[in-house]
Amino acid sequence: MKTDEKVELTCGMYLKKVREQKGITLDKASQDSRIIKRLIQAIENDDYNSLPPPVYLKGLIKKYAHYLHLDEEEILKFYQKSNGRKLTPGDKDLLPQNRFAYKQHPLLKIFSQIFGQIIRYSLLLIILFYLVFEIMQLVLPAQIIIFYPPRDLMTTLPEITISGQVIRTKTLYFQGQETSFDNKGFFKEQMTLNPGSNILEFEAINALGKKTILEQKVILSSL
C-alpha cells in the first residue's frame, strides 16, 4: 500500500481497489470471508450509516483486511484517519437489536411465572414430605410381620420354615440370635420344634434403639 494512495483514497475506496485488482467479486468476497455482502459494500463505499457500531466495526474491518492479505492494524489506522470515525465504543453506541429474537406475550410471561411458582412449591412439598417420612422412620417403633407360621399353629412336622418381614428395623433377633434380612425387610429362618408347645420370640430394634417384641406359639403334635 503506497503512501500517496492513502492520502488520495479513503479506506473504503482503497479496499475496493485491492479487491478488484485481485479479481475478486463482491459475492466471492462475501462467501470466502463470511462477511455479509451489504456490509462489504458499506465499508468500500464509506457508507457509515449502514455500518454497525464501533464495537463490531473494528473486528469487521480487521477481518476484511485479513481476507485481502493486508496489514490489519495499518488498515484500522487508515480507516480512522480517512474518515475520522473512532473505532472505540461511545456512550451512544448501542448493540443492534435482534429482529429474530422471540418476544414473549405478557400473558404467557404471567403464566410462566405462575408455573414457576407452582414448581417451586411442589418441590418444597416433596422435600417436606420426605423429611417427615424420614423422621417417622426414626420415631415410630419397629414392626414385625410373620407370614408363616400362623398363630397357634398345630403341626406334625418336626421342622418348619419361618418367614416374615420387618419395617423400620435396624437389628432383628430370633430366639436370642441376630437374624439377617434383605433391603426390603424380608427374612427366613429354619426351626426344629420340640414336642408340645414351642414359643417363637422375635425382637426388632429401630434406629433409635426402641425394641419391639413379638411372641408366637407353635404346637408340635405327635398325632
Side-chain angles (χ1 to χ4, degrees), residues 83-133:
N83 58 45
R85 191 181 188 197
K86 294 183 179 180
L87 290 177
T88 53
D91 296 336
K92 296 182 179 180
D93 288 327
L94 299 175
L95 295 178
Q97 291 185 346
N98 183 0
R99 60 193 179 94
F100 298 106
Y102 173 70
K103 295 181 180 179
Q104 192 176 43
H105 192 279
L107 287 178
L108 185 59
K109 184 177 181 180
I110 293 173
F111 286 136
S112 298
Q113 292 174 346
I114 294 174
F115 183 72
Q117 292 289 343
I118 292 173
I119 293 296
R120 281 192 287 271
Y121 285 125
S122 297
L123 289 174
L124 287 175
L125 285 174
I126 291 172
I127 293 172
L128 180 61
F129 284 135
Y130 174 77
L131 291 175
V132 170
F133 174 78

Side-chain angles (χ1 to χ4, degrees), residues 156-170:
T156 57
L157 298 175
E159 188 173 290
I160 61 172
T161 299
I162 302 163
S163 63
Q165 183 183 17
V166 289
I167 301 172
R168 297 183 296 275
T169 299
K170 184 178 181 181

Side-chain angles (χ1 to χ4, degrees), residues 6 9-12 42-43 46-48 51 57 61 75-87:
K6 289 185 180 180
L9 303 177
T10 65
C11 182
I43 292 173
D46 298 300
D47 183 5
Y48 311 132
L51 291 171
L57 182 56
I61 292 175
I75 292 298
L76 286 176
K77 292 177 183 178
F78 185 19
Y79 175 84
Q80 294 184 91
K81 184 177 180 180
S82 65
N83 58 45
R85 191 181 188 197
K86 294 183 179 180
L87 290 177

Side-chain angles (χ1 to χ4, degrees), residues 128-143 167-169 206-208 210:
L128 180 61
F129 284 135
Y130 174 77
L131 291 175
V132 170
F133 174 78
E134 290 297 319
I135 292 172
M136 295 298 287
Q137 294 298 307
L138 292 173
V139 174
L140 292 177
Q143 184 179 356
I167 301 172
R168 297 183 296 275
T169 299
N206 71 0
L208 295 179
K210 292 184 178 180

Side-chain angles (χ1 to χ4, degrees), residues 4-16:
D4 57 346
E5 286 181 328
K6 289 185 180 180
V7 175
E8 295 174 2
L9 303 177
T10 65
C11 182
M13 293 167 63
Y14 177 75
L15 292 172
K16 182 177 181 179

Side-chain angles (χ1 to χ4, degrees), residues 148 153-162 190-196 198 218-223:
Y148 188 87
L153 172 69
M154 183 175 289
T155 180
T156 57
L157 298 175
E159 188 173 290
I160 61 172
T161 299
I162 302 163
Q190 296 289 329
M191 181 177 179
T192 300
L193 300 175
N194 296 317
N198 294 264
V218 176
I219 300 172
L220 177 59
S221 174
S222 58
L223 296 178

